[in-house]
């Protein structure tokens, strides 16, 4: 567990205790609300998680890296942005992987595009985002994130 | 028909299950690998989701609507955007962990712009991630990418705000901001507090709406209160 996760746990436990001392009824209501929220989202979250597991089996990140490294820069950038949207890997895997990409001579652009869409755009999280915020919101936010991932990648390619 | 409706409601869930069945039938070891791959994500989820749900519920009950509006609402300006960046960056967990929190904030009056900032920065600019990035890609890489990403988020959150209207949100989010007090008009006469003390209270020299359950409102009482307000600052939309 990283520091921030621990901090959030500690902060929430303290908040919960203060809340309980101040108002028992309200705190009970909060816990009930939290439980219902969890129940409501559980199915979607498990669907997301198992979809990621499946995608990782068919498109292992290492294979993506290998594929991308054999393409010309522009195609590699768009391809890695697209591949980044369908996979969702944790940071501690993503950074070493992208580090390997850069060191292997893939170039900054595809690496950055991959890194940004990996985390910000999600095909697997899209159904849940749509349910919670509406189709238009989810489409616009993911669309812009994808577009700007490529813009950021190109600018970085020029800068570094 | 009922079954069809259920399937439609849980389409993604059903599709994932079907995919697993098909894959396992064709190649059992691949199905097993996929389940194993999911293991890490289940752990990640269990570490963060329970606490996010509890925190969201606590904030929902303890932070009044007008506070959220003031700090993250339409008129919060630069400070609101800054706060949204801070919330997103110090958070933990994958992007879907931000969804319940953002739904709650949106319900309480946070602007679309700030919601987009929280969601996006929650995804890409986590502080522990930055250290990881320096380790594997170097300081210069991290700083340039960080600056560009922040600029991009500022720009597209503003664009998204222009494009999304309140009616584009699902009912769950849209319906909750029904009762508002126009702060500029309110002159702090205390009439609403006297009429309906369970719902209104004074904060400084302005009236505010108390935390309440929308379904428990006494409509008659609310109507008289709205009419009693001398400057017609109370608005109720159904």
């Amino acid at each position: 567990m990283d520091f921030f996760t621990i901090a959030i746990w500690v902060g929430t436990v303290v908040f919960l205790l203060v809340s309980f001392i101040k108002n028992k009824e309200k705190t009970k209501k909060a816990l009930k609300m939290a439980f219902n929220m969890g129940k409501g989202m559980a199915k979607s979250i498990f669907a997301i998680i198992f979809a990621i597991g499946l995608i990782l089996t068919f498109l292992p990140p290492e294979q993506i890296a290998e594929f991308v490294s054999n393409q010309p820069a522009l195609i590699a950038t768009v391809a890695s942005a697209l591949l980044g949207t369908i996979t969702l890997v944790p940071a501690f895997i993503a950074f070493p992987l992208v580090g390997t990409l850069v060191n292997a001579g893939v170039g900054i652009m595809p690496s950055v595009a991959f890194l940004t869409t990996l985390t910000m755009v999600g095909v697997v999280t899209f159904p849940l985002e749509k349910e919670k915020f509406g189709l238009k919101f989810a489409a616009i936010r993911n669309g812009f994130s994808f577009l700007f991932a490529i813009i950021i990648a190109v600018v970085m390619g020029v800068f570094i | 028909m009922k079954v069809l409706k259920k399937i439609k409601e849980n389409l993604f869930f059903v599709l994932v299950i079907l995919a697993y069945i098909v894959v396992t039938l064709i190649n059992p070891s691949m199905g097993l690998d996929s389940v194993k791959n999911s293991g890490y994500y289940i752990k990640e989820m269990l570490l963060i989701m329970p606490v996010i749900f509890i925190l969201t519920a606590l904030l929902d009950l303890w932070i009044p609507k007008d506070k959220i509006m003031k700090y993250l609402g339409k008129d919060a300006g630069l400070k609101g955007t800054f706060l949204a960046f801070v919330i997103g960056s110090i958070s933990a967990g994958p992007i879907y962990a931000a969804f319940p929190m953002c739904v709650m904030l949106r319900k309480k009056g946070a602007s679309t712009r700030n919601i987009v900032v929280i969601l996006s920065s929650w995804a890409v600019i986590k502080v522990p991630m930055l250290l990881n990035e320096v380790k594997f890609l170097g300081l210069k890489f991290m700083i340039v990418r960080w600056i560009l990403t922040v600029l991009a988020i500022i720009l597209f959150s503003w664009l998204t705000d222009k494009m999304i209207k309140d009616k584009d949100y699902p009912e769950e989010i849209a319906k909750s901001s029904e009762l508002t007090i126009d702060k500029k008009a309110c002159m702090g006469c205390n009439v609403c507090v006297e009429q309906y003390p369970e719902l209104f209270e004074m904060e400084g020299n302005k009236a505010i709406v108390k935390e309440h359950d929308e379904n428990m409102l006494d409509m008659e009482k609310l109507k008289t209160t709205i009419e009693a307000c001398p400057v017609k600052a109370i608005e109720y939309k159904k």
Side-chain angles (χ1 to χ4, degrees):
Chain A
M1 234 197 269
D2 63 78
F3 172 74
F4 284 84
T5 312
I6 295 169
I8 290 178
W9 272 97
V10 173
T12 305
V13 169
V14 172
F15 194 172
L16 199 62
L17 285 176
V18 173
S19 167
F20 190 76
I21 292 164
K22 273 188 143 177
N23 190 336
K24 274 190 193 129
E25 282 308 305
K26 214 167 170 176
T27 311
K28 266 186 211 154
K29 203 177 148 197
L31 286 174
K32 217 169 163 186
M33 261 170 76
F35 181 76
N36 286 335
M37 253 188 265
K39 221 169 78 184
M41 274 180 80
K43 224 183 291 170
S44 304
I45 291 175
F46 277 107
I48 291 171
I49 289 173
F50 282 102
I52 297 170
L54 204 60
I55 290 167
L56 288 181
T57 308
F58 283 92
L59 276 176
E62 301 76 30
Q63 214 169 312
I64 293 178
E66 206 188 297
F67 167 76
V68 168
S69 60
N70 292 323
Q71 309 294 325
L74 192 68
I75 296 174
T77 306
V78 176
S80 42
L82 280 172
L83 289 167
T85 62
I86 48 175
T87 14
L88 200 91
V89 304
F92 77 86
I93 294 177
F95 287 113
L97 180 73
V98 174
T100 327
L101 279 181
V102 175
N103 291 333
V106 167
I108 297 281
M109 271 192 246
S111 311
V112 175
F114 187 60
L115 197 58
T116 312
T117 55
L118 259 185
T119 43
M120 216 157 46
V121 194
V123 170
V124 282
T125 49
F126 193 85
L128 183 60
E129 191 170 343
K130 183 186 129 194
E131 182 196 314
K132 294 287 170 196
F133 300 97
L135 176 64
K136 199 171 166 193
F137 181 96
I140 289 178
R141 197 196 66 80
N142 281 287
F144 272 137
S145 300
F146 185 80
L147 186 70
F148 276 95
I150 291 182
I151 295 174
I152 291 172
V154 172
V155 176
M156 290 238 355
V158 175
F159 264 115
I160 291 190
Chain B
M1 279 324 271
K2 230 180 169 182
V3 179
L4 265 177
K5 208 180 153 210
K6 264 255 154 47
I7 291 180
K8 213 183 157 201
E9 271 169 15
N10 300 299
L11 188 62
F12 186 51
F13 189 69
V14 174
L15 282 177
V16 172
I17 292 176
L18 279 178
Y20 265 85
I21 294 173
V22 172
V23 168
T24 311
L25 283 179
I26 296 172
N27 186 342
S29 75
M30 270 188 141
L32 198 66
D33 279 350
S34 305
V35 176
K36 271 191 208 146
N37 285 337
S38 311
Y40 164 79
Y41 295 89
I42 291 180
K43 206 181 110 204
E44 184 193 34
M45 186 269 289
L46 290 176
L47 276 179
I48 193 69
M49 288 320 279
V51 78
I52 292 283
F53 288 134
I54 293 173
L55 187 61
T56 303
L58 282 172
L59 290 172
D60 194 357
L61 286 178
W62 284 106
I63 314 274
K65 193 180 263 175
D66 52 285
K67 280 276 177 333
I68 305 268
M69 253 184 200
K70 186 173 157 201
Y71 291 110
L72 288 169
K74 275 198 162 53
D75 305 319
L78 262 182
K79 262 188 273 173
T81 308
F82 180 74
L83 181 63
F85 267 114
V86 172
I87 295 173
S89 312
I90 63 168
S91 62
I95 186 168
Y96 62 76
F99 292 165
M101 184 74 84
C102 287
V103 166
M104 181 274 289
L105 290 173
R106 172 65 215 169
K107 264 194 215 169
K108 294 193 145 217
S111 66
T112 300
R113 181 176 182 175
N114 291 332
I115 294 295
V116 174
V117 171
I118 295 176
L119 280 174
S120 307
S121 55
W122 195 300
V124 276
I125 41 179
K126 297 248 195 55
V127 180
M129 256 169 83
L130 296 180
L131 298 177
N132 233 325
E133 189 168 354
V134 173
K135 196 168 125 202
F136 289 103
L137 294 154
L139 187 64
K140 190 182 166 201
F141 183 98
M142 185 279 272
I143 292 175
V144 176
R145 198 180 79 92
W146 189 83
I147 292 173
L148 288 175
T149 308
V150 170
L151 287 177
I153 292 175
I154 290 175
L155 189 61
F156 78 71
S157 63
W158 176 75
L159 287 170
T160 310
D161 198 277
K162 294 260 169 268
M163 293 159 84
I164 300 280
K165 301 274 170 299
D166 278 349
K167 65 171 170 47
D168 295 326
Y169 283 105
E171 223 173 282
E172 189 206 354
I173 295 189
K175 75 175 177 195
S176 212
S177 51
E178 288 162 347
L179 189 59
T180 49
I181 295 179
D182 182 355
K183 286 225 148 166
K184 287 193 191 95
C186 176
M187 45 182 205
C189 68
N190 216 28
V191 164
C192 55
V193 182
E194 277 159 25
Q195 290 276 340
Y196 200 159
E198 296 85 13
L199 194 58
F200 299 97
E201 64 184 343
M202 296 304 289
E203 192 190 63
N205 55 357
K206 303 271 174 188
I208 56 165
V209 181
K210 276 195 198 175
E211 204 43 57
H212 64 279
D213 186 343
E214 299 279 345
N215 304 317
M216 298 291 281
L217 287 178
D218 181 340
M219 284 305 155
E220 273 307 301
K221 219 165 153 186
L222 181 58
K223 211 174 145 217
T224 20
T225 313
I226 289 172
E227 276 159 15
C229 176
V231 287
K232 301 280 166 266
I234 305 168
E235 197 182 350
Y236 184 71
K237 278 182 287 201
K238 190 75 206 170

